[in-house]
Amino acid sequence: SQKIEQNSEALNIQEGKTATLTCNYTNYSPAYLQWYRQDPGRGPVFLLLIRENEKEKRKERLKVTFDTTLKQSLFHITASQPADSATYLCALRVYGGSQGNLIFGKGTKLSVKP
Amino acid sequence: GAVVSQHPSWVICKSGTSVKIECRSLDFQATTMFWYRQFPKQSLMLMATSNEGSKATYEQGVEKDKFLINHASLTLSTLTVTSAHPEDSSFYICSALTGGSTDTQYFGPGTRLTVL
């Protein structure tokens, strides 16, 4: 069956450390993968998109890797801050899917302690 | 980034009434918009895809007569929950495609619907 899983429901880290979130998928052929941030009671906010032929993308303190052999994406936040506390969602866009149709994981709730 | 707004941000209604939620792309034209529903601690579930000027495409299990979608212009899509029941209480989120090579979806802030 097709699945997209984010490694843990919650992740607690200390301020200044690097947070690493994992997204694994099975039985999908993704065209690209996106990461979003969602705060409580709010809609997701787009962070980064990485295509199947890209290994790594960076944006300020954020870094995303994409390994289509392992069927895994890693999302890193370096020098984490309490303001980074939120739920982070990964989403796949698959080949053959309806245009723009994203398949979302359940998210990982990140808490950064001061 | 592109901005998508939703109105209202929250609504409480009585069972059996209808509720309309608006989704607007503020600084770009969106030929395609999407409606999602999210239950607590669950992932976003796509309800329907809305293309300007044509009928919406509904996902399996979503009742098109209950969730009416209208995409009358390139910047506005509406979702009407008809004859709402308590089980329709959820967080409804719209998104819009910017198009082009990046094909990125930008999401609205969501609407919390509570049906009493």
Side-chain angles (χ1 to χ4, degrees):
Chain A
S1 63
Q2 295 174 317
K3 286 193 296 186
I4 175 169
E5 292 181 326
Q6 294 189 239
N7 64 322
S8 56
E9 202 172 306
L11 178 65
N12 299 312
I13 64 167
Q14 204 67 32
E15 183 177 9
K17 301 293 185 183
T18 296
T20 299
L21 286 66
T22 305
C23 178
N24 295 292
Y25 59 93
T26 55
N27 296 324
Y28 284 117
S29 294
Y32 57 75
L33 186 146
Q34 297 182 344
W35 284 88
Y36 288 83
R37 169 184 173 140
Q38 187 174 24
D39 290 284
R42 306 292 293 172
V45 175
F46 171 74
L47 296 175
L48 282 168
L49 179 154
I50 186 165
R51 299 188 182 281
E52 60 160 350
N53 59 349
E54 297 174 319
K55 297 293 185 188
E56 183 179 298
K57 270 281 185 69
R58 291 175 184 261
K59 179 182 174 183
E60 297 173 352
R61 294 185 295 113
L62 308 180
K63 185 178 86 170
V64 173
T65 63
F66 196 11
D67 189 327
T68 54
T69 301
L70 291 178
K71 298 185 185 300
Q72 181 181 80
S73 174
L74 299 179
F75 177 78
H76 307 272
I77 306 175
T78 58
S80 60
Q81 305 165 0
D84 296 326
S85 299
T87 296
Y88 291 86
L89 307 171
C90 71
L92 287 179
R93 164 77 190 282
V94 299
Y95 285 112
S98 57
Q99 183 189 21
N101 185 5
L102 293 175
I103 302 159
F104 281 87
K106 288 187 179 180
T108 295
K109 184 176 180 180
L110 174 66
S111 296
V112 181
K113 306 295 184 186
Chain B
V3 178
V4 177
S5 70
Q6 271 183 251
H7 178 80
S9 55
W10 59 270
V11 57
I12 301 173
C13 70
K14 291 182 179 180
S15 186
T17 60
S18 294
V19 174
K20 179 186 282 189
I21 303 170
E22 291 187 350
C23 176
R24 293 181 186 274
S25 57
L26 296 185
D27 50 0
F28 65 100
Q29 293 184 329
T31 54
T32 304
M33 289 184 171
F34 305 89
W35 288 96
Y36 292 81
R37 182 165 52 181
Q38 186 178 34
F39 293 104
K41 295 190 177 181
Q42 297 296 312
S43 57
L44 280 75
M45 298 300 297
L46 181 67
M47 299 174 66
T49 302
S50 166
N51 289 296
E52 185 264 339
S54 63
K55 290 185 179 180
T57 303
Y58 291 81
E59 295 300 301
Q60 193 172 13
V62 178
E63 300 174 56
K64 61 180 181 180
D65 294 330
K66 181 169 186 61
F67 298 100
L68 301 179
I69 292 171
N70 184 281
H71 193 159
S73 78
L74 288 172
T75 58
L76 174 64
S77 176
T78 61
L79 168 69
T80 301
V81 184
T82 62
S83 187
H85 292 285
E87 58 267 28
D88 298 323
S89 299
S90 187
F91 193 50
Y92 291 86
I93 310 172
C94 72
S95 73
L97 264 184
T98 56
S101 60
T102 57
D103 198 17
T104 299
Q105 280 193 42
Y106 288 89
F107 286 81
T111 296
R112 173 72 59 192
L113 170 64
T114 302
V115 185
L116 302 176

